[in-house]
Amino acid sequence: MTRYLSPVTRHPQIALIGAKGMLARKVAEQASRKYTVIPLDLPEFDMTDRTRVLERISSLRPEVIINCAAFTQVDRCETEEALANRVNGEAVGFLAEAAKAVDATLVHVSTDYVFSGEQSRPYREDDPTGPQSAYGRSKLLGEQALVASGLEKYFLVRTSWLYGPGGNNFVETMIRLAKEREELRVVADQIGSPTYTGDLAEAIVRLVTSDALRVTDRESLLVTRHPSLIFGLYHFADEGQCSWHEFAMAIIDLAREWGEPVVTRRIVPITTADYPLPAQRPAYSALSNEKYKTVTGARIPDWRESLKNYFSERGRV
């Protein structure tokens, strides 16, 4: 049954799962303009505890649940695959079950690592999956659990190469290493789309805000901004693509511009084989944004533009 807000209620509620994480920080920042954001995270909220999830969501009865929580330590997933499957897989099914019980919209964030990396063009939503790592398999399990739940009101958003304030990420690692080493060796044969958490958060809030307006604004006769919006699977990443090596060069150039004490003189391109890791990464995992842009009409910035914005944000802190 569709629920309506009372005339005195102006801000529907979002239950933000994994609220202490890098992406969630940006989601909370942007969503708080239109929603009451309820942060949920460990140790008080364990999304792998089905009973606890159902009880907590039932008591809150939020209009929207946004899941930013995940086991994202890709190499560690190789040795702790059972844990990865619980967090990234089974727990998503619990959230979907809880969302269905209270008629909430669920947003779940997934990854480019569900793909094999064998393509040479950006992956679309209807391309076949084929994860090559335990992390990718666990995230695909989460996608499957969501679809199998029978929940109709959901946005499943795949993204890639995330960076932003408040978390460990490639950008901050490169800045740190550039202050310590004259030479950096960075993989040049893996291609993807770096994505700033601020851009992804804006996309998520755009999706759920449009849906909420369609449901709740009937009382005030407001017109939905995106009446053609549909639920389902979306890809979102900043526009363009690059290798990790190209990304590193852009990061260090900007670090110099912003006055960081960079000592790096050489950034040497290497192959994946030169830098073996426990988990296999996709050789190519750029994502196509065409569906998202068609449905929302939104402009997505190029990854270089967003990287500059991130450095500007860092400079203001």
Side-chain angles (χ1 to χ4, degrees):
M1 177 182 295
T2 300
R3 292 177 291 121
Y4 296 91
L5 299 180
S6 67
V8 297
T9 303
R10 295 303 178 197
H11 295 289
Q13 293 184 334
I14 286 179
L16 183 58
I17 316 299
K20 299 174 185 176
M22 183 176 68
L23 173 59
R25 289 176 55 154
K26 279 295 181 184
V27 171
E29 179 183 304
Q30 298 199 26
S32 61
R33 301 166 189 167
K34 294 180 179 293
Y35 289 84
T36 299
V37 177
I38 303 169
L40 298 174
D41 210 329
L42 293 169
E44 294 82 10
F45 183 85
D46 181 356
M47 62 185 283
T48 67
D49 183 337
R50 177 180 175 272
T51 300
R52 177 60 175 158
V53 168
L54 294 177
E55 289 177 349
R56 188 74 175 110
I57 296 302
S58 177
S59 67
L60 292 173
R61 303 192 68 81
E63 280 70 29
V64 179
I65 303 167
I66 300 179
N67 181 31
C68 295
F71 184 3
T72 58
Q73 294 169 278
V74 175
D75 292 313
R76 186 179 157 197
C77 286
E78 294 297 313
T79 56
E80 299 185 49
E81 188 163 3
L83 175 59
N85 288 343
R86 285 200 302 275
V87 176
N88 297 337
E90 295 171 17
V92 180
F94 302 156
L95 292 175
E97 183 181 356
K100 190 175 180 181
V102 299
D103 191 32
T105 297
L106 174 63
V107 181
H108 174 61
V109 180
S110 192
T111 174
D112 56 326
Y113 278 42
V114 300
F115 293 112
S116 67
E118 296 174 356
Q119 285 193 175
S120 57
R121 61 152 176 82
Y123 280 93
R124 299 188 298 258
E125 289 82 356
D126 58 355
D127 281 323
T129 54
Q132 302 296 299
S133 65
Y135 171 68
R137 290 191 294 272
S138 72
K139 293 296 286 185
L140 183 57
L141 281 176
E143 294 187 9
Q144 293 167 340
L146 172 52
V147 173
S149 71
L151 178 68
E152 295 181 352
K153 294 168 55 176
Y154 72 84
F155 297 105
L156 172 54
V157 184
R158 291 181 183 141
T159 192
S160 63
W161 295 22
L162 275 184
Y163 67 91
N168 295 323
N169 59 74
F170 185 77
V171 176
E172 293 303 325
T173 297
M174 287 298 103
I175 294 171
R176 174 177 57 80
L177 293 177
K179 298 175 184 179
E180 301 171 355
R181 303 178 186 178
E182 290 192 357
E183 179 178 287
L184 300 179
R185 296 166 59 81
V186 184
V187 171
D189 60 354
Q190 294 175 22
I191 307 298
S193 302
T195 305
Y196 172 45
T197 52
D199 296 334
L200 177 56
E202 181 179 346
I204 288 171
V205 173
R206 182 186 298 273
L207 289 172
V208 299
T209 299
S210 300
D211 172 58
L213 284 172
R214 189 169 64 245
V215 173
T216 64
D217 285 348
R218 291 172 185 169
E219 294 179 2
S220 56
L221 302 179
L222 294 181
V223 178
T224 304
R225 286 183 299 163
H226 308 299
S228 63
L229 191 70
I230 56 174
F231 295 111
L233 173 61
Y234 289 83
H235 286 177
F236 183 91
D238 284 333
E239 292 279 25
Q241 57 190 40
C242 64
S243 69
W244 290 111
H245 179 260
E246 292 172 304
F247 192 22
M249 290 194 298
I251 292 165
I252 292 170
D253 283 345
L254 283 168
R256 286 194 182 97
E257 289 181 21
W258 279 89
E260 297 283 356
V262 172
V263 300
T264 295
R265 297 181 180 181
R266 297 175 301 279
I267 308 174
V268 180
I270 63 173
T271 67
T272 299
D274 293 327
Y275 190 66
L277 292 168
Q280 183 175 336
R281 272 72 170 171
Y284 182 91
S285 63
L287 299 175
S288 169
N289 292 315
E290 290 309 308
K291 178 181 176 181
Y292 173 83
K293 291 190 293 186
T294 298
V295 169
T296 67
R299 173 188 175 273
I300 302 175
D302 182 82
W303 69 267
R304 291 183 181 274
E305 177 186 346
S306 290
L307 184 60
K308 290 179 181 178
N309 291 339
Y310 176 58
F311 269 87
S312 179
E313 180 179 0
R314 290 177 83 252
R316 293 193 300 268
V317 175

